[in-house]
Amino acid sequence: MLQQRRIQALWLGRAVKELRLQAGLTTNRVAAHVGKNGSSISRMENAEVAIPEAVLEGYIELSGLTDDRRISELRTIRRDAAAGGWWDGYRKEIAPSLTNRAWVESKAVHIRSFEPIVLPGLLQLPEYAATLMRKRHPGASGGRVERWVEVRMQRQHIVSRHNPIALDCVVDESVLRRSPGGVDVMKQQLDFLVEVAERSNVTIRVLPSTAMTGVEGAFELFRLVEPYPDIGYVATPVGDVSVEGKDLERLKDGYAALQQASLDPTASRNALIAERDKF
């Protein structure tokens, strides 16, 4: 699992460390070349501090890297690690893990989501989202909840913008019958899902309550633009944690099993309509 630092910085730190090791260089050798000390280089590779442009260029020069595509990828990651985004305006209200999450969403081309308890955050209406946030944080002020809802609505732009991401969701059937904000809120929410399910970039599948797949707990899978690797997020009671490597492959296998056990998109939309009409 990734630490809650800027994910871009972690990826860049790993990449330059790999360059250094492949070239048989020590941190002190790199430090001498770029005018730093060995401790500073170690901190950069561990994403504890940012990697300046001059230092990255020093890594490239000293390692002898000549692959133009790889050099371009490293420069792109460094620029993204240093750049901000709309989420910077909410840093005081949201956890660092969520700013990482917002950045990942901004670079996504395809998101796959499984939700066994509530509707996917990227498809929640403000009233539904606010109800969930008040239940999770009963001591939060109305103003703070409002700001959290603003963040969630801002994140949803990736689904409705020009050239939107592809969003594929599997939702447990029981979620459609759970109305945290009351009947009116849930009816509006289901109306919205029926509408969204018609969009070409959104696929909603309903997992029958009787289905058994061996998958437990909410999670998401992200395919990002190049040069970034795939990444996943798993929901926990204390917040989402990011996942890579073999654990990510297990999540992908789990999602495939969920898709296979779910209703197809047309039958799922009919299920949404049927549940909406019960309210």
Side-chain angles (χ1 to χ4, degrees), residues 7 53 59 69 117 120 150 163 178 181 199 223 259:
I7 289 177
E53 181 179 5
Y59 269 99
R69 179 175 178 178
I117 304 297
E150 285 180 17
N163 190 27
R178 193 172 291 117
R199 297 181 187 175
R223 181 161 60 86
Q259 286 182 306

Side-chain angles (χ1 to χ4, degrees), residues 21-228:
L21 294 175
Q22 287 177 346
L25 302 169
T26 65
T27 54
N28 287 336
R29 178 70 181 90
V30 174
H33 185 73
V34 299
K36 301 288 183 180
N37 58 52
S39 175
S40 293
I41 295 301
S42 293
R43 293 177 67 199
M44 291 178 194
E45 291 184 353
N46 290 326
E48 295 172 12
V49 295
I51 298 180
E53 181 179 5
V55 171
L56 175 58
E57 296 304 320
Y59 269 99
I60 293 171
E61 179 183 352
L62 196 59
S63 67
L65 182 64
T66 57
D67 184 331
D68 289 340
R69 179 175 178 178
R70 185 57 179 151
I71 291 172
S72 177
E73 289 176 347
L74 291 171
R75 289 171 176 167
T76 296
I77 297 173
R78 194 208 68 80
R79 286 195 300 269
D80 283 347
W86 63 262
W87 46 85
D88 288 331
Y90 297 92
R91 283 191 180 276
K92 293 183 179 180
E93 288 95 352
I94 61 178
S97 59
L98 188 52
T99 60
N100 271 342
R101 173 71 167 274
W103 179 85
V104 167
E105 289 173 345
S106 76
K107 296 296 181 181
V109 294
H110 187 192
I111 298 177
R112 288 169 285 173
S113 169
F114 171 56
E115 284 290 353
I117 304 297
V118 298
L119 292 171
L122 292 176
L123 296 179
Q124 293 175 8
L125 291 177
E127 296 81 2
Y128 185 99
T131 299
L132 295 180
M133 291 171 184
R134 284 193 292 266
K135 289 182 181 297
R136 291 170 183 165
H137 306 279
S141 67
R144 190 155 205 186
V145 169
E146 185 177 343
R147 290 284 281 175
W148 290 339
V149 172
E150 285 180 17
V151 172
R152 181 154 296 179
M153 297 304 107
Q154 185 72 31
R155 288 169 51 203
Q156 291 181 3
H157 289 169
I158 61 173
V159 181
S160 58
R161 70 191 181 196
H162 177 69
N163 190 27
I165 64 157
L167 178 63
D168 193 329
C169 302
V170 173
V171 178
D172 191 275
E173 185 178 22
S174 63
V175 175
L176 309 180
R177 299 167 184 166
R178 193 172 291 117
S179 51
V183 172
D184 289 341
V185 170
M186 196 59 190
K187 182 174 176 58
Q188 291 175 9
Q189 183 66 72
L190 288 171
D191 272 336
F192 178 67
L193 292 183
V194 170
E195 173 193 334
V196 169
E198 293 183 329
R199 297 181 187 175
S200 60
N201 65 306
V202 177
T203 302
I204 300 175
R205 292 178 174 85
V206 175
L207 179 69
S209 297
T210 55
M212 295 296 294
T213 64
V215 179
E216 299 177 4
F219 66 90
E220 289 176 287
L221 301 168
F222 293 80
R223 181 161 60 86
L224 308 184
V225 296
E226 292 185 353
Y228 298 103

